[in-house]
Amino acid sequence: MKEVYLLAMARASAVPIEALRASFESEEMTFTPASDGHGFTIEAEGSKLEVVFESRPTPQEWTSDLFSGSEPALEGLARARSFYRFAFEPGSSQPTVPVFVALMCARIVLLHSEGVMVDITSSKVHEPDDVGELTELDFDIRDHLNLHAVEVIEGETPLWVHTHGMEKFGARDLEIFHLGEQDLLPAEAFLHELATDIAFGQGPTLRTEMGTSEGQTFMLVPSEEARTNLLGVPLESFEGHEGLFLTVVSPQGRHNTAELLRPFRERFAQEPTEQTESMHRETQVLLPAFKARFLRRGLMEPLAFLVRAPFETHPEGEAVTEQLWMEVLSWDDATVVGRLVDGAVHTTEWRKGAHVEVPESDVNAMALSREGRTLDEEEVRTLLNAERPS
C-alpha cells in the first residue's frame, strides 16, 4: 500500500473510535478498528483504505515552500498536533475509485475535528471545504496535480514541465521538454487532458502514436528511454525528481512539441471586447423569450438551456475574467441559477459542476440543446420567436 493522504489535525488525541464508526457505517462503509484503538481500516467500492493515527506533542515544523495551498491551509498544517495517515493500493481497474474513497474518508474524519488534508503525491494542502468539493463536484484533475516548470537549458525554449500527483492513480507522472513561456498554458491544458484520461484508466498505449482532442499526434515514452536523446540538459537538473516519468514526444520520438500544442493555445486566446459586447447586446434582446421558454418547459422535455456569463478568477493573484457556460437549473426573478458545464481554465476557483448564480443582465450568450445536440442559430431563433407576443 502507498501512503497518499495525510490529515493534519489541530487536536492532539484521536477522534473517539465509536464516533468514527457511527459516521462511516452511516455512509455504508465497512469500518474495522485497528488494534491500537485509534487507527482503522475502511472497505468500500471494492477498495481498501488503511488509516494510522500518529500523535505529536508539538506541531511539526513545516516550510511553506514544500507545499502549495491557501494561507489558512498552510497555517493549519503548521499547527498540526496529530496526523491520520491514509494508505491504499493505487491503480485499480478504475484508478479514481480508491482516490474517491480516501477523499470521502478524509471528509468524514474532518467533520469531527479541525484540520487540513495533505496530498503527499502532489504536495498540495486542502482545507475542509476543498475536500467537500472534491467529493461532490465533477472530477477535475487540477485538484489532484501540481505542475512544475523548470528552466533546464538556455535559449527560447528552456523549460521542462512536469506533473506531481499521478502516483495516487497508479501511474507515472508526465513530462514534456523544450517549452517557452508562451507554451506554459497550452502545455498545462494538454497535460491535464492527458492526465485525466490516465486517471480514468484510459491512457494511451506506450510508444504508440496517439491523437489529442484537437487532432494533433504524439507518443508517450518511458523517461529512461526518451531522455537518451535529450541533448544539453545537465543531469543535475533532475535532482529531487529521481522518479520515473512518462515523456511526451513527437510521433518520431523527438522532443519537438510546438505543433502538438498549437491548437491548445487557442483556448487561451482572449475574446475581443467588441465581440463580447456585441454578443451581450444581442443576447439581452432574446433573453426574455429564452427565459419564457425555460419557465414553461416540461418535466420530461429533452431540452437543455445554457447561458454564458463572466466569472472572475485570480491566477497569480491577479483578476482575470473568464466566460463560462452554465446549464440553467432555475430562474429566480432576475437571477439565473445553474451548474457550470465547464470549469475555469486558469484556476480551480470555478469548478465544473459547481452551482452558481448570476444576474440575468450579465448573460452574454445562450444556447439550447435537444437530446445532446446543440441547436443551430436559426433553430434557436425560430424556437424563441414563438415565445414573442403577436
Side-chain angles (χ1 to χ4, degrees):
M1 286 197 170
K2 180 176 181 58
E3 188 174 289
V4 174
Y5 295 114
L6 188 72
L7 288 190
M9 313 299 285
R11 59 186 292 158
S13 60
V15 177
I17 203 71
E18 290 306 316
L20 290 176
R21 184 200 300 273
S23 295
F24 282 108
E25 290 181 347
S26 68
E27 294 289 340
E28 298 183 350
M29 294 179 170
T30 302
F31 178 86
T32 305
S35 57
D36 64 1
H38 302 312
F40 53 90
T41 300
I42 295 294
E43 294 183 61
E45 304 292 335
S47 299
K48 184 176 181 180
L49 175 73
E50 291 185 355
V51 182
V52 175
F53 177 77
E54 177 183 321
S55 181
R56 290 187 171 154
T58 57
Q60 173 72 23
E61 292 297 326
W62 301 97
T63 56
S64 59
D65 61 326
L66 294 176
F67 302 94
S68 66
S70 66
E71 187 173 333
L74 295 174
E75 289 175 353
L77 179 57
R79 292 195 304 268
R81 300 183 63 199
S82 66
F83 302 96
Y84 282 99
R85 299 184 176 275
F86 287 34
F88 57 82
E89 195 65 48
S92 65
S93 57
Q94 172 46 274
T96 59
V97 170
V99 171
F100 179 78
V101 169
L103 291 171
M104 279 296 298
C105 291
R107 176 180 175 178
I108 290 170
V109 175
L110 288 171
L111 292 175
H112 292 271
S113 178
E114 179 184 352
V116 296
M117 185 187 78
V118 181
D119 182 336
I120 299 170
T121 65
S122 66
S123 298
K124 282 193 171 191
V125 186
H126 297 277
E127 296 179 68
D129 287 347
D130 294 333
V131 180
E133 289 187 343
L134 291 177
T135 59
E136 292 176 356
L137 301 182
D138 290 2
F139 181 89
D140 189 330
I141 194 67
R142 294 176 297 180
D143 294 318
H144 305 275
L145 297 184
N146 250 326
L147 258 66
H148 286 169
V150 181
E151 190 171 312
V152 292
I153 59 173
E154 297 181 352
E156 295 183 357
T157 56
L159 299 176
W160 164 44
V161 176
H162 57 277
T163 70
H164 290 286
M166 290 301 294
E167 287 180 274
K168 72 173 73 66
F169 303 109
R172 293 187 182 193
D173 276 298
L174 303 169
E175 66 178 6
I176 189 169
F177 290 92
H178 293 317
L179 301 181
E181 289 288 337
Q182 74 280 2
D183 297 316
L184 286 179
L185 287 177
E188 181 178 312
F190 165 70
L191 289 175
H192 283 151
E193 184 177 282
L194 178 57
T196 298
D197 286 345
I198 294 173
F200 279 93
Q202 301 168 356
T205 304
L206 298 185
R207 308 176 188 86
T208 302
E209 183 174 339
M210 297 293 295
T212 71
S213 63
E214 304 289 348
Q216 308 302 307
T217 57
F218 69 98
M219 282 199 312
L220 274 185
V221 179
S223 57
E224 60 271 29
E225 297 176 25
R227 291 180 184 178
T228 58
N229 63 353
L230 186 63
L231 303 177
V233 178
L235 292 178
E236 55 266 27
S237 301
F238 303 115
E239 290 181 3
H241 298 81
E242 286 79 10
L244 298 176
F245 289 77
L246 293 177
T247 311
V248 178
V249 295
S250 73
Q252 295 76 35
R254 302 191 185 104
H255 296 277
N256 180 3
T257 56
E259 184 63 19
L260 169 67
L261 298 178
R262 179 183 55 77
F264 287 90
R265 295 189 184 98
E266 298 172 4
R267 298 185 184 183
F268 299 93
Q270 190 69 31
E271 183 176 274
T273 302
E274 298 79 8
Q275 180 180 340
T276 305
E277 292 174 348
S278 175
M279 292 173 64
H280 181 254
R281 288 193 297 270
E282 294 177 8
T283 299
Q284 289 294 311
V285 171
L286 291 172
L287 198 61
F290 184 89
K291 179 179 180 179
R293 183 64 181 83
F294 172 81
L295 293 176
R296 72 173 186 83
R297 73 196 188 286
L299 290 176
M300 303 301 291
E301 189 174 30
L303 196 63
F305 294 74
L306 298 100
V307 298
R308 193 187 76 163
F311 289 81
E312 189 174 282
T313 62
H314 302 84
E316 308 298 330
E318 297 183 2
V320 172
T321 298
E322 295 192 39
Q323 305 294 338
L324 303 181
W325 286 92
M326 55 187 275
E327 181 179 2
V328 181
L329 301 178
S330 63
W331 215 299
D332 185 9
D333 292 330
T335 300
V336 187
V337 181
R339 176 180 178 273
L340 289 179
V341 298
D342 54 0
V345 298
H346 291 287
T347 72
T348 57
E349 292 172 85
W350 299 104
R351 290 185 173 95
K352 180 180 179 181
H355 284 247
V356 294
E357 298 181 5
V358 299
E360 62 181 36
S361 58
D362 284 354
V363 173
N364 56 39
M366 57 191 184
L368 289 165
S369 67
R370 180 179 285 118
E371 297 180 336
R373 183 183 72 85
T374 301
L375 305 187
D376 62 34
E377 185 175 343
E378 186 60 32
E379 289 174 306
V380 172
R381 287 186 176 274
T382 299
L383 188 149
L384 295 185
N385 282 335
E387 299 297 326
R388 295 174 180 270
S390 57

